[in-house]
Amino acid sequence: MKTKRRCENWLLTYRDYILPRTDAPESYVFWSGIFTLSSAVRRKIWIPKKYLGLWSCYPYLYVMFVGPPGARKTTTIDNGSRVLLDQIEGIRSGPSVFTKEAIIEKLQQSNDASMYLVIGEFSDIFQKAGKDRNGIYEFFTSMFDGSMNYEAATKSHGTAFLEKPCINFFSATTPGWITDNMPEGVITGGFASRVIFVYEDGPRLNKMFFDDVVGPFEQLEKDLLIDLLHISKELAGEFSFSDDGLKAAKEWSSLPHPQRLMKNDKLGGYLNRKKTHVAKLAQIHSIATKDELVITAEDWAFGVHAIETTETGLEKIFTGVGKNRYTTEIDKIVAFVRSMNFFTKTPTPRAEILRSFMHSAEPRILNDLLQFAVDGKLLYCKERYENGQKEFDFWVPEFTV
């Protein structure tokens, strides 16, 4: 007997459950919903080799939120995805101590060598790794590829053997951490190409209190949980394509990449793996709306749209890697001026900017960075006189003076 879903579209219901009660960017809410569904189905559904040739595509994901401190990166996952997933029996979460050995041992304890792993700050896992930083990247790369059995030595249990392990991975970091710590080789291929990076400048709203928000949130949570349990327990097996779905997928996959992305040497790995991301996301949209494991043109279009909304952010995230060390500082200054403009409703004085970034660079360099931002039309500037001294005010192009 066919089970009637509580949610017509699980992802839209999740949005309605989370978004009204948070100042987090909508994209963070959107991707936390996707991560939740991906964690629920693990490797139980897939697009088979019948369509893809020598490989099958499973919908597990690596997602990383990137933004400045206070952008609600981990808050969104902790109060959305984890609240729901922790109530579903059979879905195993990762360890509280983020070491490679601890992760392997948790996977061994899982009946199907699967888990969802939430690392609030990506830098945390490197604090335990010591000099083995490259080993961390190699480990997660191997886990993502997951079609092979994995064997590794552990300190406490000897050799660990995992049969087709599956990790849904979420973490968060800042653009500055990526610039300062992620090797260029990791960006252009390997680990980073397997991650969906979601960038935002800061919170969506300038709002702290939500006691005025009224809605059927308890009922929405109940509906989400009932459907998530159903999806987790009942959906399994191979996907097929509808006629329009296969036509749409083939037509899109033969299109060239946008020239602006092709010119960015940091995005080569992402572009090579973009089709894989779309295929995973099409599966997620399918299970969000129906039980039938059939990918339609609408499912495929969702996958394309979802991944392409992240591309502008990719250029911002990786601009500073291997290049001018102050590129990230310029981005931070522009983001600071933007937030101040819209918070104070006025242009931002240079003195305020210098005070806020006094630990980032010497005053002379900060002035040069401000001038660069103005020359590049990232900021606008006007001079004024205060107590007989010349002062400058700055604002972003989208702010009306």
Side-chain angles (χ1 to χ4, degrees), residues 356-369:
S356 298
F357 288 87
M358 61 185 294
H359 299 296
S360 299
E362 299 173 3
R364 174 183 58 80
I365 293 175
L366 285 175
N367 281 313
D368 288 344
L369 296 180

PDB file of all heavy atoms in Angstrom, residues 356-369:
ATOM      1  N   SER A 356      38.696  48.765  12.982  1.00  0.00           N
ATOM      2  CA  SER A 356      38.195  47.386  12.926  1.00  0.00           C
ATOM      3  C   SER A 356      39.206  46.427  12.319  1.00  0.00           C
ATOM      4  O   SER A 356      39.151  45.228  12.580  1.00  0.00           O
ATOM      5  CB  SER A 356      36.889  47.348  12.123  1.00  0.00           C
ATOM      6  OG  SER A 356      35.891  48.130  12.747  1.00  0.00           O
ATOM      7  N   PHE A 357      40.134  46.949  11.493  1.00  0.00           N
ATOM      8  CA  PHE A 357      41.094  46.071  10.812  1.00  0.00           C
ATOM      9  C   PHE A 357      42.532  46.381  11.234  1.00  0.00           C
ATOM     10  O   PHE A 357      43.473  46.025  10.513  1.00  0.00           O
ATOM     11  CB  PHE A 357      40.943  46.212   9.293  1.00  0.00           C
ATOM     12  CG  PHE A 357      39.679  45.575   8.772  1.00  0.00           C
ATOM     13  CD1 PHE A 357      38.498  46.288   8.732  1.00  0.00           C
ATOM     14  CD2 PHE A 357      39.671  44.253   8.354  1.00  0.00           C
ATOM     15  CE1 PHE A 357      37.323  45.707   8.276  1.00  0.00           C
ATOM     16  CE2 PHE A 357      38.503  43.657   7.897  1.00  0.00           C
ATOM     17  CZ  PHE A 357      37.321  44.388   7.863  1.00  0.00           C
ATOM     18  N   MET A 358      42.707  46.983  12.408  1.00  0.00           N
ATOM     19  CA  MET A 358      44.040  47.374  12.849  1.00  0.00           C
ATOM     20  C   MET A 358      44.969  46.185  13.049  1.00  0.00           C
ATOM     21  O   MET A 358      46.201  46.323  12.994  1.00  0.00           O
ATOM     22  CB  MET A 358      43.940  48.191  14.148  1.00  0.00           C
ATOM     23  CG  MET A 358      43.318  47.435  15.310  1.00  0.00           C
ATOM     24  SD  MET A 358      43.087  48.492  16.771  1.00  0.00           S
ATOM     25  CE  MET A 358      44.788  48.846  17.206  1.00  0.00           C
ATOM     26  N   HIS A 359      44.393  44.996  13.274  1.00  0.00           N
ATOM     27  CA  HIS A 359      45.232  43.802  13.469  1.00  0.00           C
ATOM     28  C   HIS A 359      45.485  43.038  12.175  1.00  0.00           C
ATOM     29  O   HIS A 359      46.220  42.049  12.170  1.00  0.00           O
ATOM     30  CB  HIS A 359      44.580  42.865  14.491  1.00  0.00           C
ATOM     31  CG  HIS A 359      44.409  43.474  15.850  1.00  0.00           C
ATOM     32  ND1 HIS A 359      45.465  43.853  16.637  1.00  0.00           N
ATOM     33  CD2 HIS A 359      43.283  43.800  16.549  1.00  0.00           C
ATOM     34  CE1 HIS A 359      45.022  44.363  17.770  1.00  0.00           C
ATOM     35  NE2 HIS A 359      43.701  44.352  17.754  1.00  0.00           N
ATOM     36  N   SER A 360      44.882  43.481  11.090  1.00  0.00           N
ATOM     37  CA  SER A 360      45.018  42.768   9.816  1.00  0.00           C
ATOM     38  C   SER A 360      46.231  43.217   9.013  1.00  0.00           C
ATOM     39  O   SER A 360      46.828  42.431   8.287  1.00  0.00           O
ATOM     40  CB  SER A 360      43.758  42.967   8.969  1.00  0.00           C
ATOM     41  OG  SER A 360      42.630  42.446   9.631  1.00  0.00           O
ATOM     42  N   ALA A 361      46.577  44.511   9.128  1.00  0.00           N
ATOM     43  CA  ALA A 361      47.705  45.047   8.360  1.00  0.00           C
ATOM     44  C   ALA A 361      48.089  46.408   8.936  1.00  0.00           C
ATOM     45  O   ALA A 361      47.347  47.009   9.720  1.00  0.00           O
ATOM     46  CB  ALA A 361      47.335  45.183   6.879  1.00  0.00           C
ATOM     47  N   GLU A 362      49.252  46.903   8.509  1.00  0.00           N
ATOM     48  CA  GLU A 362      49.699  48.228   8.939  1.00  0.00           C
ATOM     49  C   GLU A 362      48.784  49.297   8.349  1.00  0.00           C
ATOM     50  O   GLU A 362      48.168  49.095   7.294  1.00  0.00           O
ATOM     51  CB  GLU A 362      51.137  48.463   8.479  1.00  0.00           C
ATOM     52  CG  GLU A 362      52.134  47.474   9.062  1.00  0.00           C
ATOM     53  CD  GLU A 362      53.514  47.644   8.440  1.00  0.00           C
ATOM     54  OE1 GLU A 362      53.675  48.571   7.611  1.00  0.00           O
ATOM     55  OE2 GLU A 362      54.411  46.862   8.776  1.00  0.00           O
ATOM     56  N   PRO A 363      48.691  50.476   9.006  1.00  0.00           N
ATOM     57  CA  PRO A 363      47.817  51.543   8.497  1.00  0.00           C
ATOM     58  C   PRO A 363      48.079  51.898   7.036  1.00  0.00           C
ATOM     59  O   PRO A 363      47.153  52.129   6.258  1.00  0.00           O
ATOM     60  CB  PRO A 363      48.130  52.714   9.433  1.00  0.00           C
ATOM     61  CG  PRO A 363      48.563  52.074  10.707  1.00  0.00           C
ATOM     62  CD  PRO A 363      49.301  50.838  10.299  1.00  0.00           C
ATOM     63  N   ARG A 364      49.352  51.951   6.644  1.00  0.00           N
ATOM     64  CA  ARG A 364      49.674  52.289   5.254  1.00  0.00           C
ATOM     65  C   ARG A 364      49.080  51.271   4.287  1.00  0.00           C
ATOM     66  O   ARG A 364      48.508  51.629   3.254  1.00  0.00           O
ATOM     67  CB  ARG A 364      51.198  52.348   5.081  1.00  0.00           C
ATOM     68  CG  ARG A 364      51.644  52.562   3.629  1.00  0.00           C
ATOM     69  CD  ARG A 364      53.159  52.534   3.538  1.00  0.00           C
ATOM     70  NE  ARG A 364      53.709  51.278   4.027  1.00  0.00           N
ATOM     71  CZ  ARG A 364      53.747  50.161   3.300  1.00  0.00           C
ATOM     72  NH1 ARG A 364      53.236  50.121   2.071  1.00  0.00           N
ATOM     73  NH2 ARG A 364      54.277  49.051   3.813  1.00  0.00           N
ATOM     74  N   ILE A 365      49.186  49.988   4.646  1.00  0.00           N
ATOM     75  CA  ILE A 365      48.661  48.937   3.774  1.00  0.00           C
ATOM     76  C   ILE A 365      47.139  48.980   3.756  1.00  0.00           C
ATOM     77  O   ILE A 365      46.509  48.805   2.692  1.00  0.00           O
ATOM     78  CB  ILE A 365      49.171  47.558   4.240  1.00  0.00           C
ATOM     79  CG1 ILE A 365      50.691  47.470   4.031  1.00  0.00           C
ATOM     80  CG2 ILE A 365      48.458  46.442   3.485  1.00  0.00           C
ATOM     81  CD1 ILE A 365      51.314  46.201   4.564  1.00  0.00           C
ATOM     82  N   LEU A 366      46.520  49.236   4.921  1.00  0.00           N
ATOM     83  CA  LEU A 366      45.057  49.324   4.955  1.00  0.00           C
ATOM     84  C   LEU A 366      44.558  50.451   4.063  1.00  0.00           C
ATOM     85  O   LEU A 366      43.557  50.300   3.351  1.00  0.00           O
ATOM     86  CB  LEU A 366      44.583  49.535   6.391  1.00  0.00           C
ATOM     87  CG  LEU A 366      44.636  48.321   7.319  1.00  0.00           C
ATOM     88  CD1 LEU A 366      44.243  48.720   8.737  1.00  0.00           C
ATOM     89  CD2 LEU A 366      43.723  47.208   6.808  1.00  0.00           C
ATOM     90  N   ASN A 367      45.253  51.585   4.075  1.00  0.00           N
ATOM     91  CA  ASN A 367      44.869  52.680   3.191  1.00  0.00           C
ATOM     92  C   ASN A 367      45.022  52.297   1.725  1.00  0.00           C
ATOM     93  O   ASN A 367      44.196  52.652   0.882  1.00  0.00           O
ATOM     94  CB  ASN A 367      45.697  53.937   3.503  1.00  0.00           C
ATOM     95  CG  ASN A 367      45.185  54.680   4.721  1.00  0.00           C
ATOM     96  OD1 ASN A 367      43.982  54.907   4.848  1.00  0.00           O
ATOM     97  ND2 ASN A 367      46.080  55.053   5.620  1.00  0.00           N
ATOM     98  N   ASP A 368      46.081  51.539   1.430  1.00  0.00           N
ATOM     99  CA  ASP A 368      46.274  51.062   0.056  1.00  0.00           C
ATOM    100  C   ASP A 368      45.151  50.110  -0.352  1.00  0.00           C
ATOM    101  O   ASP A 368      44.675  50.141  -1.501  1.00  0.00           O
ATOM    102  CB  ASP A 368      47.621  50.351  -0.078  1.00  0.00           C
ATOM    103  CG  ASP A 368      48.807  51.317  -0.028  1.00  0.00           C
ATOM    104  OD1 ASP A 368      48.575  52.542  -0.204  1.00  0.00           O
ATOM    105  OD2 ASP A 368      49.933  50.850   0.179  1.00  0.00           O
ATOM    106  N   LEU A 369      44.731  49.256   0.590  1.00  0.00           N
ATOM    107  CA  LEU A 369      43.655  48.319   0.282  1.00  0.00           C
ATOM    108  C   LEU A 369      42.343  49.059   0.039  1.00  0.00           C
ATOM    109  O   LEU A 369      41.575  48.697  -0.861  1.00  0.00           O
ATOM    110  CB  LEU A 369      43.489  47.311   1.425  1.00  0.00           C
ATOM    111  CG  LEU A 369      44.678  46.377   1.693  1.00  0.00           C
ATOM    112  CD1 LEU A 369      44.362  45.429   2.847  1.00  0.00           C
ATOM    113  CD2 LEU A 369      45.053  45.583   0.452  1.00  0.00           C
TER     114      LEU A 369
END
